[in-house]
């Protein structure tokens, strides 16, 4: 049986409630309006995600039928990925609910949106939307089993299969749910360990300031510092700590509970039991010729043993901003400075890890004890595969909005260019109660007056995007729909390219031919401005989108001018470049025709052709 999710042990007195700053007061005054705007946008985004998912399922029926994957994608057999980033939004605490703090982070299956008030002291209720598509976007209602499924199911089999190293770490501001998440996840991972056939030992240390402390040291023994060094072969060597032998999963779970319970916690403005240290748990697996009787005191190999894998579970100390340190004494301020500088050192290593192979070879591990301890798990080693999962934890409310944005940005550092869905922002105007109520009561008379999202959803429904696309491509399909980098055609692309007569036919039940063609013209205008969406990240999609713009009736130079004016995005630049090429090709064709014409006797048949 798996342990239920549990919170960190409560050992410290209550901290005073944080004083509301001026900005927060202003946001709270506009809470009803802001909440309405957020809810409306979230609903629209959910509907758009659902349409995209339905489309993708129609395109990849075999994937849809395969159902839930057994392992988290990073640990599935054959996965070449080195890292995954998950975002977990915790539920509002009772105290946050009592203060009326509303939620500004909304996780959807496809992405997580953070709604940031556009001005500190609000003149109106407009919001900036920062949207990040992480590998998994875990909503407040999800439990520890869901986190395990997305983050670590399959981790133990991967480590054993490849004699590999895996590290999972929780990052986030103080009070965002890191300990809650990691203490539960660590036990679920431990439950997957084999009950026999391997020697297992567990060590646990905390990094407090610049000191490393053994969490398994005898309580009555004088505290001895743990030393961390790198040996001649470049391996991290820890000494001065105890490694607990574990006969199987139950012993490992007991060791994990002991480590979390021994950790240093203090009350801060944000968390009654704030972990002021980084906790690093190491589960080392050894394959013995025959299991030796004694455990190694330093957690190293016994004679004849070979490493069978290693798991590091890291509960990072909470990141803090200046406002969080208002009630800190000198000692806590020093702690905070250490915490932030080690988190920065980790960020720098992660940044290099996600960069070029040359960058990855030069991760500055020595900049902090934390990164030195994690060296083996972060290094991209050709001999020992390593996989890293970051769980970025965020608090959901307006009081933590700037911390949450920082966490989103920090977490994005670990994404590789290959699988990074990145972020995009948009600006939301306030949606007044009257406007929303009015919209709910009487549907707009004509699709021309609808929002772009609503129009697109309606068209997708009426025109039947994906099903029609597969029909159109025939049973053999389009080669772009096969293979690992397959192109998933977005619904808008299909709708955009549908010929006028087909368009009118499909909308005949709802609109007259004139109305349908008028809507088509409007719809096509909407796509002159390239969209920066997750779809845009699919290889080939940007180019296809550009191509679809170029297929518009306008002459290439007009398209280029329009596109360039409408956006400075990559797509726009590609469009401009393609348009230039097309124009160049056109000029060359005209010249060739002219040359041809001048070399032939002029007849009615060889008169210059129209360039269109
Ligand atoms: N997913 C969740 N469901 C329910 N309660 C949660 C969840 N995540 C966190 N909490 C609660 O929120 C509070 C803060 O969580 P936790 O102590 O895990 O934060 P933390 O990020 O580890 O903070 P610190 O960095 O200060 O140690 C705790 O009371 C915890 O029980």
């Amino acid at each position: 049986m798996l342990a239920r999710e549990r919170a960190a042990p409560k050992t410290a007195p209550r901290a005073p409630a944080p004083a509301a700053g001026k900005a927060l007061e202003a946001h709270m005054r506009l809470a009803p309006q802001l909440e309405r705007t957020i809810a409306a946008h979230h609903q629209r985004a959910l509907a758009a995600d659902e349409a995209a998912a339905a489309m993708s399922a129609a395109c990849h029926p075999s994937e849809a039928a395969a159902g839930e994957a057994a392992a988290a994608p990073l640990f599935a057999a054959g996965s070449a990925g080195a890292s995954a980033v998950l975002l977990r939004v915790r539920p509002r605490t009772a105290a946050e609910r009592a203060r009326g703090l509303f939620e500004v982070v909304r996780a959807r299956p496809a992405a997580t949106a953070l709604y940031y008030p556009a001005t500190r002291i609000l003149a109106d209720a407009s919001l900036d939307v920062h949207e990040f598509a992480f590998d998994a976007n875990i909503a407040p209602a999800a439990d520890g089993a869901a986190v395990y499924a997305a983050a670590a199911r399959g981790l133990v089999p991967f480590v054993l299969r490849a004699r590999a190293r895996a590290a999972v770490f929780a990052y986030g501001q103080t009070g965002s749910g890191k300990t809650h998440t990691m203490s539960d996840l660590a036990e679920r991972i431990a439950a997957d360990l084999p009950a026999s056939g391997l020697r297992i030992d567990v060590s646990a240390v905390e990094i407090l300031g610049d000191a490393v402390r053994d969490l398994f040291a005898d309580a009555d023994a004088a505290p001895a510092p743990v030393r961390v060094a790198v040996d001649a072969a470049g391996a991290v060597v820890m000494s001065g700590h105890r490694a607990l032998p574990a006969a199987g999963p139950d012993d490992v779970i007991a060791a994990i509970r002991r480590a979390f319970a021994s950790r240093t916690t203090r009350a801060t403005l944000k968390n009654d039991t704030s972990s002021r240290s980084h906790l690093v748990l190491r589960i080392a697996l050894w394959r013995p010729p025959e299991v030796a009787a004694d455990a190694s005191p330093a957690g190293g190999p016994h004679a004849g043993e070979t490493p069978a894998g290693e798991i590091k579970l890291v509960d990072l100390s909470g990141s803090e901003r200046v406002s969080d340190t208002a009630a800190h004494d000198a000692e806590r301020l020093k702690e905070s400075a250490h915490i932030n500088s080690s988190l920065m050192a980790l960020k720098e290593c992660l940044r290099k890890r996600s960069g070029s192979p040359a960058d990855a070879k030069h991760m500055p591990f020595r900049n902090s004890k934390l990164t030195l301890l994690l060296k083996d798990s972060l290094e991209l080693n050709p001999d020992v595969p390593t996989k890293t999962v970051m769980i970025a934890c965020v608090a959901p409310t307006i009081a933590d909005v700037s911390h949450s944005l920082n966490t989103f940005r920090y977490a994005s550092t670990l994404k590789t260019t290959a699988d990074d869905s990145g972020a995009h922002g948009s600006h939301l105007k306030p949606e007044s109660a009257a406007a929303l109520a009015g919209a709910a009561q009487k549907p707009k008379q004509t699709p021309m007056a609808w929002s772009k999202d609503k129009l697109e959803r309606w068209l997708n429904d009426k025109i039947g995007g994906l099903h029609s696309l597969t029909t159109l491509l025939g049973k053999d399909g389009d080669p772009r729909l096969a293979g690992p980098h397959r192109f998933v055609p977005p619904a808008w692309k299909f709708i955009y390219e549908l010929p006028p007569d087909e368009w009118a036919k499909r909308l005949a039940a709802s609109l007259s031919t004139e109305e349908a063609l008028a809507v088509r013209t409007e719809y096509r205008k909407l796509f002159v401005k390239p969209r920066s969406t997750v779809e845009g990240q699919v290889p080939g999609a940007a180019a296809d989108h550009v191509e679809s713009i170029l297929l518009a009736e306008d002459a290439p130079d007009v398209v280029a001018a329009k596109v360039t004016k409408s956006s400075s995005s990559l797509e726009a630049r590609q469009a401009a470049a393609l348009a230039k090429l097309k124009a160049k090709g056109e000029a060359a064709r005209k010249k060739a025709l002219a040359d041809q014409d001048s070399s032939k006797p002029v007849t009615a048949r060889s008169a210059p052709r129209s360039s269109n």
Side-chain angles (χ1 to χ4, degrees):
M1 273 281 286
L2 289 173
R4 277 176 297 126
E5 237 182 327
R6 61 194 180 89
K10 300 240 174 247
T11 53
R14 267 196 95 70
K22 277 214 163 62
L24 180 58
E25 276 171 24
H27 300 155
M28 292 298 289
R29 270 199 300 278
L30 287 165
Q33 252 178 295
L34 291 168
E35 279 188 282
R36 262 197 312 273
T37 307
I38 291 170
H41 182 268
H42 180 61
Q43 284 312 319
R44 284 198 297 267
L46 267 178
D49 287 354
E50 270 164 30
M55 183 173 67
S56 176
C59 246
H60 310 295
S62 54
E63 269 180 21
E68 205 180 314
L74 183 66
F75 299 111
S79 155
S83 55
V85 181
L86 286 71
L87 188 100
R88 186 182 201 190
V89 190
R90 72 154 164 76
R92 278 187 303 170
T93 60
E96 287 168 340
R97 278 199 301 274
R99 289 175 65 199
L101 295 172
F102 58 98
E103 290 172 326
V104 292
V105 186
R106 296 294 179 95
R108 312 191 305 274
T112 304
L114 180 122
Y115 298 89
Y116 205 111
T119 50
R120 260 175 73 74
I121 310 295
L122 287 173
D124 64 18
S126 55
L127 293 151
D128 288 327
V129 190
H130 298 266
E131 195 152 294
F132 290 72
F134 293 102
D135 295 300
N137 303 278
I138 301 170
D143 60 7
V147 175
Y148 163 77
R153 192 191 281 143
L155 181 152
V156 169
F158 156 73
V159 164
L160 294 175
R161 199 168 55 232
R163 297 189 177 200
R165 297 195 181 109
V168 183
F169 50 97
Y171 173 87
Q173 73 167 107
T174 173
S176 58
K178 298 178 297 297
T179 303
H180 185 90
T181 299
M182 281 309 290
S183 53
D184 176 71
L185 187 64
E187 293 189 21
R188 290 176 191 271
I189 292 172
D192 286 342
L193 290 166
S196 61
L198 290 178
R199 188 171 71 77
I200 307 174
D201 61 46
V202 187
S203 13
V205 295
E206 69 172 346
I207 307 170
L208 188 60
D210 204 29
V212 183
R213 188 173 82 91
D214 181 9
L215 291 171
F216 294 152
D218 284 336
D220 351 315
V226 175
R227 284 173 302 283
V228 185
V230 176
D231 70 13
V236 177
V237 184
M238 240 186 359
S239 56
H241 71 294
R242 263 177 86 188
L244 297 184
D250 289 349
D251 284 358
V252 178
I253 290 172
I256 288 168
R257 288 183 183 170
R258 181 173 163 183
F260 275 96
S262 314
R263 197 171 176 200
T264 306
T265 62
R266 301 196 216 285
T268 62
L269 285 179
K270 296 267 182 189
N271 190 359
D272 289 351
T273 54
S274 180
S275 317
R276 305 297 292 158
S277 63
H278 306 299
L279 168 85
V280 182
L281 261 161
R282 175 183 183 253
I283 303 170
L285 309 166
W286 307 95
R287 199 174 302 280
E290 57 187 57
V291 179
D294 302 323
S296 161
H302 291 188
E305 279 185 341
T306 50
E310 184 197 83
I311 300 164
K312 279 209 181 106
L313 304 168
V314 186
D315 181 9
L316 293 166
S317 184
S319 58
E320 287 183 333
R321 312 198 80 199
V322 177
S323 54
D324 302 327
T325 61
H328 284 8
D329 57 20
E331 192 194 345
R332 304 269 170 83
L333 279 175
K334 212 167 142 197
E335 266 173 25
S336 297
H338 267 295
I339 291 170
N340 284 345
S341 72
S342 56
L343 291 174
M344 280 306 114
L346 178 61
K347 184 177 183 183
E348 189 50 22
C349 288
L350 295 175
R351 206 177 59 75
K352 296 251 178 193
R353 188 180 199 261
S354 317
S356 66
D359 274 349
K361 275 193 192 137
H362 296 102
M363 286 188 245
F365 296 114
R366 289 179 189 275
N367 284 357
S368 76
K369 285 270 165 60
L370 173 69
T371 45
L372 196 59
L373 251 177
L374 294 178
K375 177 178 184 284
D376 288 349
S377 309
L378 292 174
E379 242 168 9
L380 297 174
N381 182 340
D383 301 326
V384 186
T386 58
K387 294 205 184 218
T388 305
V389 180
M390 177 194 277
I391 304 178
C393 297
V394 295
T397 77
I398 182 72
D400 294 303
V401 67
S402 58
H403 287 89
S404 301
L405 185 56
N406 268 359
T407 300
F408 276 51
R409 289 185 171 150
Y410 189 103
S412 303
T413 321
L414 191 58
K415 303 282 285 176
T416 59
T417 44
D419 67 356
D420 191 359
S421 313
H424 66 273
S426 55
H427 187 72
L428 275 190
K429 291 266 183 265
E431 304 207 19
S432 70
L436 289 173
Q441 279 158 16
K442 50 177 176 79
K444 297 236 176 89
Q445 323 76 331
T446 158
M448 305 269 283
W450 291 345
S451 71
K452 183 173 160 184
D453 281 353
K454 184 171 175 185
L455 177 62
E456 200 172 352
R457 280 201 304 279
W458 183 78
L459 287 173
N460 197 25
D461 184 37
K462 294 287 170 205
I463 289 180
L466 248 284
H467 293 292
S468 315
L469 181 69
T470 20
T471 318
L472 209 77
L473 293 170
K475 71 176 166 35
D476 297 331
D478 180 319
R480 290 175 306 171
L481 292 172
H485 298 300
R486 72 193 145 213
F487 165 64
V488 182
W492 59 261
K493 180 165 162 50
F494 170 71
I495 298 170
Y496 185 93
E497 289 175 354
L498 204 67
D501 51 340
E502 187 61 25
W503 178 285
K505 205 167 91 193
R506 290 184 191 217
L507 295 184
S510 313
L511 301 175
S512 70
T513 304
E514 292 73 42
E515 283 169 335
L517 293 180
V519 170
R520 180 175 183 270
T521 309
E522 274 311 296
Y523 186 76
R524 288 167 69 85
K525 270 191 213 157
L526 288 175
F527 282 97
V528 169
K529 179 170 180 172
R531 300 162 26 134
S532 166
T533 67
V534 177
E535 293 153 0
Q537 306 290 330
V538 178
D544 278 282
H545 175 49
V546 167
E547 191 54 34
S548 71
I549 293 169
L550 293 173
L551 288 174
E553 291 86 356
D554 290 327
D557 52 340
V558 176
V559 172
K562 259 188 198 173
V563 173
T564 315
K565 209 169 129 199
S566 68
S567 167
S568 62
S569 73
L570 174 67
E571 288 174 353
R573 290 201 303 277
Q574 284 177 325
L578 276 175
K580 266 190 204 150
L581 280 176
K582 208 167 169 181
K584 231 171 150 184
E586 195 62 20
R589 194 174 68 83
K590 277 184 189 162
K591 187 169 178 302
L593 280 175
D595 292 348
Q596 200 181 16
D597 292 340
S598 61
S599 64
K600 280 185 186 173
V602 178
T603 67
R605 288 179 130 280
S606 64
R609 277 192 273 152
S610 155
S611 62
N612 291 323

